[in-house]
Amino acid sequence: MDYVRVRSSSVSAVGYDDQAKVLAVQFVNGSEYHYLAVPKPLFEGLKAAPSVGTYLNAYIKDAGYQFRRVR
């Protein structure tokens, strides 16, 4: 999976696996989470969001996507 650096105080990079529909989020504290069954338009929106953290909370976390911590 390729990662894209983002400007955020909490998120350092994001990535997306097209086949598995997995959104990967690397945080500045070193942790990484994979969110499952996330539609690609949400990944595109996350990359373009003026506030990555706010978008992540509103459209991914609060939407209830299943996730797993990988690091």
Side-chain angles (χ1 to χ4, degrees):
M1 181 179 323
D2 293 327
Y3 289 84
V4 177
R5 294 249 176 242
V6 292
R7 296 186 70 184
S8 170
S9 61
S10 59
V11 177
S12 60
V14 295
Y16 190 78
D17 182 323
D18 282 305
Q19 290 184 339
K21 297 191 182 337
V22 171
L23 170 67
V25 180
Q26 295 177 341
F27 291 90
V28 296
N29 69 4
S31 64
E32 181 174 342
Y33 287 79
H34 287 182
Y35 294 88
L36 312 177
V38 175
K40 188 164 187 176
L42 288 180
F43 169 62
E44 299 297 339
L46 181 64
K47 291 190 302 181
S51 171
V52 173
T54 299
Y55 189 98
L56 179 66
N57 286 331
Y59 296 101
I60 308 298
K61 290 182 177 183
D62 292 348
Y65 286 100
Q66 290 185 337
F67 65 89
R68 64 179 185 257
R69 184 176 181 166
V70 295
R71 184 166 37 140

